[in-house]
Amino acid sequence: MTKLDYDGPILEIDQLSISFFTRLREIPAVMDFSVTVQPGEAVGLVGESGCGKSTVALGVMQDLGKNGRVVGGSIKFKGRDLGTMSMEELRDIRGSEIAMIYQEPMASLNPAMKIGKQLMEVPMIHQGMSSSDAYERALQVVTDVKLPDPKRILESFPHQLSGGQQQRIVIAMALMSEPSLLILDEPTTALDVTVEAAVVELVKDLGKKYGTSMLFISHNLGLVLETCDRICVMYSGEAVETGRIEDVFDKMQHPYTQALFRSIPLPGADKNARPLVAIPGNFPLPHERPSGCNFGPRCDYFEVGRCDRAKAIPMETVEHGDRHESRCLKFDEIDWDAPLELGEVKQKGEIGEVVLSMKNLKKYYEVAANAMFGGGSTRVVKANETLTFEARESETLAIVGESGCGKSTFAKVLMGLETASDGTILLDGEEIQDTPIEARTTKNVADIQMVFQNPFDTLNPSMTVGRQIIRALEIFKVGKNEAERRVRMLELLDLVKLPREFADRMPRQLSGGQKQRVGIARAFAGDARIVVADEPVSALDVSVQAAVTDLLMEIQREHKTTLLFISHDLSIVRYLSDRVMVMYLGHVVELGTTDQVFSPPYHPYTEALLSAVPIADTSVEKQHIVLEGDIPSAMNPPPGCPFQTRCRWKSDVPGGLCEKDIPPVRELADGHQVKCHLSDDILSKMEPVIKIAAQ
């Protein structure tokens, strides 16, 4: 059967149940799951970690490993049941008819093989194509995925490409044989927001060009809104709501979908007047699911004796919308338009005196031109160029930019893990830029603490949670003896809203969000004046993000902490921060209050960043700006303005000034600085990137 012969659904999953078998028990991972993907349709599968999204994808690929088994229902591809196919039939379909793109591109690429050869293998194996035809096809597909200099790319090894380029190659590989179904499992999680926007744009264009149907797995509702036609929301192994994007986003009919939306910051949300509402409780483990509705223990509308009955709750059709269904006994009784009951309105802490002042900070690294073998001339990597800013007591200053812009380098210099090449850092008037961490006073070390991106890497796996916090208290010389430190440790657990019995638990017994709270407790062990939060919520689920974000704000209000919040997620930055600093290739290109930075005039880079952020709101209209290319190397920066190689406004500056001179820092309004050659006249004509349509 050719790809054009079939006109029914491409993928039909009907009442699918998948279990994993351990020596002790059967663990149901997916139960009674149904979804249909029509030709040319993109369906988004969303939910928190552990809800079974990837298990569904692996079920479609018939790749559940030794322990996984389909125990009920069926998966049909173009009308044929995948579960009844032989290994040979599956081998023919995988890669040619059904292709999958994974979260981590390097896991799909052979590091010892040139890109061209890896791409050519696909049509040569699946379609018996000659090597010359396969090379032409590879060249065509690499051009389609908008990679520069395709011939050079085909001659490269994977390690010679950036993360965004590697992910495009994986997409190219999946498209080599023009599959009918493309499964994308969190394909942009590891990418910068600007690269993510380009990859998403690419996937949409290629879907149209090749007529490919897509199953797009993500926890990012904004991304699903921008890429998909339909959505299926999963919770604890079950589909809880499914329908067209517009129906589910605007007329949601399940409490979990509603709770998800309440825990993400949308444009215009105010952290003090309308704090994010985190979903109470924790996600149930597969062998600890409650009877009746899985979401029951965390639901605002839970009814004892009805929602917790032993019988399974079926998917019911919702009257409005196209194939809109909900797994809730009360969906037609709930007033979905009722205004949200506001939690207590929080008072913003009064912003106080300057705590931290940075003037013309530079951080350069010398590296050998041939770094692998040494020798050769040395070259200078300019990681930070003349950073100047101040941070005050009780203030949240967000630092945003793509990977490689120098955000983390600046954090390392501030912490004393590196020393500055030039410039000054004043902490309460004392210069610290040349003092490495081992030479700093205990007070200085306690004053500047860090909460890291990945909570799994920052805790000692062989030490209890309580012991790790007490260890920090010992280092910061808090408490006269062990008993005093133990009391303080329990108070810190209270501060981060963890039960006191967690003191005796090991890190492996905690969820990601709970581990991050331990990291925050440890950072505040010495009453830190400044906390550097380096992407502290990017590894967490959206509902957990809301809880951790709110926790940071609450501790800040109580302790008057200065929070330096490093992030590439502009939605959370807009919600959290008082001021925003935008970095690009070591330079601060824009600095101002949140309102100044999020309203025009913008620096052209800020404008592109705002356009790249996926927003889970159908009433938002965005300008469409996709940046070409990646950030240039800090070892070989472009001449003139660091952003000129990707700037869409460059032609508006006369005399090739952008290519010749680094722009001066200009003050547009009180405290609003921009490093750009554009004239005031052009800047004043900039349109807002994000517009909220009138309801």
Side-chain angles (χ1 to χ4, degrees), residues 79-132:
R80 296 172 66 200
D81 191 334
L82 291 170
T84 60
M85 288 187 188
S86 66
M87 286 311 292
E88 281 72 28
E89 288 174 303
L90 284 172
R91 205 173 291 130
D92 285 345
I93 281 180
R94 286 187 200 133
S96 66
E97 290 265 354
I98 305 176
M100 186 158 172
I101 295 168
Y102 295 89
Q103 185 166 351
E104 183 46 65
M106 269 314 274
S108 310
L109 295 172
N110 183 335
M113 201 176 187
K114 285 184 178 172
I115 296 292
K117 196 156 184 224
Q118 297 193 50
L119 290 173
M120 287 161 62
E121 268 190 348
V122 180
M124 286 167 76
I125 289 170
H126 285 293
Q127 293 161 355
M129 205 180 263
S130 70
S131 63
S132 58

Side-chain angles (χ1 to χ4, degrees), residues 162-183:
S162 70
Q165 289 173 332
Q166 287 171 2
Q167 193 60 290
R168 284 165 194 234
I169 289 298
V170 172
I171 292 171
M173 196 181 283
L175 292 167
M176 279 297 286
S177 55
E178 299 187 16
S180 305
L181 177 67
L182 187 56
I183 301 172

Side-chain angles (χ1 to χ4, degrees), residues 101-300:
I101 295 168
Y102 295 89
Q103 185 166 351
E104 183 46 65
M106 269 314 274
S108 310
L109 295 172
N110 183 335
M113 201 176 187
K114 285 184 178 172
I115 296 292
K117 196 156 184 224
Q118 297 193 50
L119 290 173
M120 287 161 62
E121 268 190 348
V122 180
M124 286 167 76
I125 289 170
H126 285 293
Q127 293 161 355
M129 205 180 263
S130 70
S131 63
S132 58
D133 287 349
Y135 180 81
E136 288 306 314
R137 175 106 183 91
L139 201 59
Q140 172 61 45
V141 175
V142 171
T143 310
D144 280 349
V145 296
K146 296 192 172 74
L147 279 166
D149 195 355
K151 286 191 170 157
R152 181 186 65 78
I153 294 274
L154 292 182
E155 285 300 308
S156 303
F157 285 97
H159 71 267
Q160 294 171 304
L161 308 182
S162 70
Q165 289 173 332
Q166 287 171 2
Q167 193 60 290
R168 284 165 194 234
I169 289 298
V170 172
I171 292 171
M173 196 181 283
L175 292 167
M176 279 297 286
S177 55
E178 299 187 16
S180 305
L181 177 67
L182 187 56
I183 301 172
L184 302 105
D185 190 359
E186 302 267 17
T188 59
T189 308
L191 304 179
D192 277 312
V193 66
T194 49
V195 181
E196 174 179 86
V199 168
V200 164
E201 183 70 12
L202 173 75
V203 167
K204 281 199 307 199
D205 289 350
L206 294 171
K208 289 194 190 94
K209 176 174 177 180
Y210 293 108
T212 309
S213 303
M214 286 189 275
L215 190 61
F216 193 99
I217 296 171
S218 181
H219 65 268
N220 185 328
L221 288 162
L223 213 52
V224 168
L225 169 65
E226 293 189 2
T227 41
C228 299
D229 309 298
R230 298 179 63 77
I231 183 172
C232 175
V233 181
M234 284 188 80
Y235 182 80
S236 190
E238 296 178 323
V240 292
E241 185 166 7
T242 177
R244 284 185 328 143
I245 290 283
E246 296 80 4
D247 293 334
V248 175
F249 275 55
D250 297 339
K251 296 175 184 159
M252 57 196 69
Q253 298 287 311
H254 195 281
Y256 176 60
T257 314
Q258 185 184 54
L260 268 186
F261 275 92
R262 286 178 176 175
S263 60
I264 52 178
L266 294 174
D270 180 330
K271 65 182 171 192
N272 295 308
R274 291 202 63 151
L276 296 180
V277 182
I279 304 175
N282 286 318
F283 197 79
L285 292 169
H287 57 282
E288 293 173 357
R289 292 189 178 109
S291 61
C293 176
N294 283 341
F295 187 58
R298 307 174 73 189
C299 179
D300 291 343

Side-chain angles (χ1 to χ4, degrees), residues 437-506:
I437 193 160
E438 58 272 20
R440 289 189 180 181
T441 63
T442 304
K443 184 180 182 320
N444 273 353
V445 173
D447 275 348
I448 306 178
Q449 282 295 300
M450 195 154 179
V451 178
F452 295 91
Q453 177 169 1
N454 195 339
F456 307 95
D457 296 342
T458 54
L459 299 179
N460 183 333
S462 57
M463 210 186 256
T464 63
V465 164
R467 187 71 234 148
Q468 301 198 41
I469 297 172
I470 289 172
R471 179 96 184 85
L473 293 168
E474 284 169 359
I475 291 167
F476 299 144
K477 299 184 171 60
V478 175
K480 295 190 186 76
N481 52 39
E482 184 74 12
E484 281 190 17
R485 284 194 275 271
R486 182 157 181 88
V487 170
R488 178 73 186 125
M489 177 268 290
L490 293 172
E491 286 169 358
L492 283 163
L493 286 179
D494 295 343
L495 179 72
V496 296
K497 297 186 168 55
L498 282 176
R500 288 187 166 200
E501 56 267 24
F502 274 37
D504 301 321
R505 289 199 183 179
M506 303 301 276

Side-chain angles (χ1 to χ4, degrees), residues 271 348-356 389-398 529 531 553 556 560-565 576-580 592-593:
K271 65 182 171 192
K348 170 75 187 123
E350 197 64 39
I351 291 181
E353 297 295 308
V354 171
V355 177
L356 180 74
F389 71 89
E390 290 177 335
R392 295 174 174 77
E393 186 179 81
S394 281
E395 179 179 49
T396 304
L397 173 67
R529 302 282 312 280
V531 169
M553 302 318 308
Q556 181 185 43
K560 300 191 170 167
T561 320
T562 304
L563 195 59
L564 299 181
F565 193 86
L576 266 186
S577 57
D578 302 301
R579 285 192 307 138
V580 180
T593 65

